Amino acid sequence: MTTVLSGGADPLISLTGVSKRFPNGTLALDNVSMTVPKGQLLSLIGLSGSGKSTLMRHLNGLHKPTAGTVQVFGVEVSSASNKQLRSVRRNVGFVFQQFGLVGRATCLENVLSGALGRLRGPRYGVWSYPRTLRREAFDHLERVGLAPQAYQRADTLSGGQMQRVAIARTLMQQPRLLLADEPVASLDPESSAQVLELLLKVATEDKMTVIVTLHQVELALGWAHRIVGLRDGRVVLDQDARGLSQTDVMEVYRRVDRESELLATPNMSAAAPTTERQRA
Amino acid sequence: MTAAHVEPLARAAGNRLPRAPRKWQSKALLAVFVAYVVGVVWSWTYIDMTLLTLFGGFTELWNLVVDMVPPNVDNMRVVLKATVETIWMALIGTTACVVLSIPLAFMAARNTTPNPVVFAVARAIITLTRALPTLVLAAVLTLPLGIGPLPGLLALAIHSIGMVGKLFTEAVENTEAMSREAVTSTGAGKWQTVLATLVPQVTPSFIGTALYRLDINLRESAVLGFVGAGGVGFVVQQHLRSLDYQRAIAAVGVIFVVITLIEVVSTRLRASIIGDHLSSPTKKTPRTMARERRDHRLLVDAVTTRRLTPPWTYERLVRASAGVIYLVLIVVAFATIDIPYLSALGLGDEVIDSFGRLFPPDFTTAGPELWQGIRETVAIGFIATTLGLVISVPLGILSARNIVVNRFVYGTTRLFMLALRGLPELIVAVLFVAAMGLGPVPGTLALTVGTATFMAKLIGDALEEVSPEPREAVFATGASRAQEFVTSVIPQALPNLVSQTLYMLDVNLRSSTVLGIIGGGGIGFLLLSALRVLQEPTVGAIVIVIFVIVYSIELIGTFVRWLVE
């Protein structure tokens, strides 16, 4: 496990002192530093508003940091040119809580839009994509079990099915890194389990590095190598998932509940850098 | 009365009525109301319209009706040819407007605009194009472009940008952002993302808006002939001028039929595009069920054989054939309409020249008349709105299904209103002028009819939408039908009624700026006489005055609507 955890000489992602202050004054990330090695399954936990989504969006340049640097695949995302940024994004799959499908378009069209990064020029409608890509899109739909729905409009599907289409769209990118932001938060328990299982399966089969934010702690512990807890934009927990108990993890949530800053701050924020240094 | 009765009433009232306004706002509303009343009283004395002139008008109208029967159809060839030209003008004008509005909308929408300067310019274009009525624009464009459909369709295209551009912009702003973020995340470029995520979302509403505008433009294009800008209006006017009422009514009949037909078609198309339920209609007949089975089979075949192109389901067939029909129509329109394309290309300089001659505007030559024209225009707008409102209330109540229980009364009222709304206001006005002679009274009456039928439909619809719970609650206390109406229906419908009245005042003031062009009173008359004698600086002055009137109405209207809401 430790070999997977350690960043090694060539980490896939490395953040150094990343802070993000939004125009409205909110400090969403506060001096976050971490590295993620290739092949790791990392789970980000924390309350809503703790900065998880913001952190994810820094990794593919949807947000730019106010301070610090974000490196993905060795590219400095925070100062990358549009072209570099697009090439980073092409290799980073992003699965959203709200799926981000175009409801009026068919599933096949939605999956095909995942190939736009590889193509030049705007495309509209299935016919505007090369036939090889259409075949590929069909394959990905098959992989997520939705080939029969290829020509159905995306908004006729159930939530779980929509998220699977979104995963197929991500597969179309053949990503090296997969970011999943609350991928199952708007699904019922049964579909959640299905979607998470699928996500894990394709990620391991295709040897992707995965960062996923989850509300369900037991799920996070179940399949992640490493757990990182965020609170108020700061890393307050960063440990090997093995050996972590659910109650340990719940601390990340509970301490905020009590709003008792005095108790929370010293232990946790001190703990995080040490654990990381120990690992490295 | 128990709490159970009061509670739903209070809730409904709380939902419908505007929240208690702040102090200065309620004062401002009161001021607006007083200003409106003063405006009406002043207008009434200004135009000097007594009830006697009103009833005298009705006898004259009756005489005209008698003169018109039987309609004379021996001129049908000319009428039909002119009607086809009218349709082509509307089609080309609307298409041109849509083509211009699409980029404008993306530049003017907050979520897609490339930069603040472009944003401001695009917004300004959209607002300003709306401020000159089509007929005024067409009349002015005949100066450089001459008589014919070209100035007419250009006027349609330019004026429509105001509405179409605004609605397109709203459609773009109302799209959801998630899919955009998602596709951007796949590494797609800016335009790839817009095309993949925004365009599918806005297309139905764009098409719906375009069809709606086509309806409006068809009505407008039917009257453009009054200023020599092409179409069937010219034929109507000629017949009326030569007192040939039987031929005139035949032409009006054709206009009515064409407008109604196209409205029915476009309404159905709009409903199917916006409603999204082309393939799953509410009623299941054997035909629709067979269709669904066929679609289902096609879909299953397509995915099992992994066809790489979407199957031709019923919905797709309908959409594609609608597209093909449109393309054929627009090609035919361009090919057959009487526009000298080659020489029209060279007219650009002349247009600029000619607009240059409108400046500097000459306000002095027509000075006192100009002032009189403005006052008359405003007076017509106020009277037509108020009179129309007064008539529309009983008419609207009669046309509400849930209030009038008698189906016959309800049906005939709705039919009567439908027939009257089928004709463009200015056609009604030109008939009234023919019956009663030149002056503000026939113009006012024509706008009154338009207002009354429009408001009656709104009142009827609003009453039908009034929520039933409060009504039931009041009935349950043992109230009579009349008591129930006063206590529960009126308070629920009132805020909407107020804002619609303001909207009508806005529309009527705009219309009354052009009524004079056909002799119906107001500033339009001056415009036409100045155009006839080619007093271009005076034309410039009048155009500016009309622009200012319409623009200030829009500003005041926006302010008052804001106050009400």
Side-chain angles (χ1 to χ4, degrees), chain A:
Chain A
M1 224 37 178
T2 33
T3 47
V4 185
L5 272 169
S6 62
D10 181 24
L12 202 69
I13 299 170
S14 72
L15 290 88
T16 19
V18 173
S19 294
K20 172 70 174 178
R21 192 180 284 284
F22 283 112
N24 66 11
T26 329
L27 186 64
L29 291 178
D30 187 0
N31 195 20
V32 172
S33 298
M34 64 191 251
T35 56
V36 180
K38 195 168 174 291
Q40 188 171 62
L41 303 181
L42 186 153
S43 186
L44 271 179
I45 59 167
L47 286 170
S48 321
S50 57
K52 303 183 307 266
S53 299
T54 312
L55 178 60
M56 295 271 228
R57 280 167 174 73
H58 275 83
L59 297 179
N60 73 346
L62 284 177
H63 288 339
K64 295 276 161 75
T66 324
T69 57
V70 180
Q71 277 198 3
V72 179
F73 313 136
V75 177
E76 180 54 56
V77 177
S78 36
S79 62
S81 67
N82 259 346
K83 205 177 154 199
Q84 279 176 311
L85 203 56
R86 281 189 63 185
S87 90
V88 168
R89 284 177 182 165
R90 224 167 18 235
N91 291 300
V92 180
F94 209 130
V95 176
F96 296 84
Q97 178 185 344
Q98 296 298 335
F99 326 130
L101 297 182
V102 181
R104 302 191 51 93
T106 60
C107 296
L108 197 66
E109 280 170 87
N110 272 294
V111 176
L112 281 166
S113 69
L116 283 170
R118 287 192 250 166
L119 296 165
R120 274 158 178 264
R123 311 276 157 161
Y124 189 73
V126 170
W127 58 270
S128 62
Y129 291 87
R131 293 181 74 88
T132 47
L133 283 181
R134 289 187 230 169
R135 245 175 245 127
E136 207 183 309
F138 246 114
D139 290 339
H140 292 308
L141 272 175
E142 204 143 77
R143 209 165 157 204
V144 300
L146 286 173
Q149 279 77 15
Y151 288 116
Q152 261 179 42
R153 272 172 54 155
D155 55 9
T156 62
L157 304 180
S158 70
Q161 288 176 320
M162 286 200 206
Q163 193 60 297
R164 277 146 68 196
V165 173
I167 291 171
R169 175 179 59 196
T170 302
L171 290 175
M172 200 71 195
Q173 291 172 247
Q174 299 156 344
R176 291 156 65 193
L177 170 65
L178 181 67
L179 307 175
D181 189 10
E182 305 278 7
V184 294
S186 22
L187 302 179
D188 61 80
E190 201 178 328
S191 328
S192 302
Q194 267 185 358
V195 166
L196 264 187
E197 200 182 321
L198 176 73
L199 203 62
L200 184 63
K201 190 172 141 251
V202 297
T204 38
E205 278 173 6
D206 295 6
K207 300 191 178 58
M208 295 179 208
T209 308
V210 180
I211 299 183
V212 60
T213 64
L214 284 173
H215 266 315
Q216 300 92 327
V217 172
E218 69 278 22
L219 284 175
L221 282 173
W223 68 277
H225 299 148
R226 172 178 170 196
I227 308 276
V228 172
L230 283 181
R231 187 167 63 75
D232 295 338
R234 283 191 299 266
V235 176
V236 290
L237 170 82
D238 187 347
Q239 280 184 22
D240 196 328
R242 208 176 37 176
L244 256 184
S245 75
Q246 199 162 329
T247 32
D248 292 339
V249 178
M250 287 312 282
E251 288 293 292
V252 176
Y253 296 93
R254 205 166 296 126
R255 285 175 193 243
V256 184
D257 282 350
R258 259 190 253 130
E259 290 283 323
S260 54
E261 294 284 323
L262 284 172
L263 270 172
T265 341
N267 289 344
M268 286 315 234
S269 52
T274 9
T275 38
E276 199 166 347
R277 233 172 277 128
Q278 279 163 355
R279 279 191 202 106

Side-chain angles (χ1 to χ4, degrees), chain B residues 501-521:
Chain B
T501 305
L502 286 168
Y503 169 70
M504 265 340 278
L505 181 64
D506 182 339
V507 170
N508 282 336
L509 284 169
R510 279 164 200 256
S511 305
S512 72
T513 57
V514 298
L515 268 180
I517 291 178
I518 50 152

Side-chain angles (χ1 to χ4, degrees), chain B residues 1 11 25 45-46 59 73 95 114 128 131 193 195 198 324-325 360 414 455 498 530:
Chain B
M1 197 128 97
R11 200 173 54 216
Q25 282 169 325
T45 53
Y46 184 81
T59 29
V73 293
T95 304
L128 294 183
T193 308
L195 210 63
L198 286 187
V324 170
I325 291 171
R414 283 253 150 163
M455 289 293 285
V498 170

Side-chain angles (χ1 to χ4, degrees), chain B residues 217-260:
Chain B
N217 279 349
L218 190 65
R219 287 158 166 271
E220 300 235 31
S221 125
V223 300
L224 285 175
F226 295 162
V227 294
V232 71
F234 183 65
V235 181
V236 175
Q237 201 185 32
Q238 259 187 330
H239 289 322
L240 286 178
R241 281 222 182 105
S242 54
L243 308 182
D244 190 349
Y245 296 126
Q246 292 168 340
R247 284 200 175 110
I249 196 65
V252 170
V254 170
I255 296 176
F256 175 78
V257 170
V258 168
I259 286 179
T260 312

Side-chain angles (χ1 to χ4, degrees), chain B residues 487-501:
Chain B
T487 46
S488 65
V489 176
I490 289 183
Q492 287 194 62
L494 202 60
N496 194 17
L497 197 65
V498 170
S499 61
Q500 290 301 341
T501 305

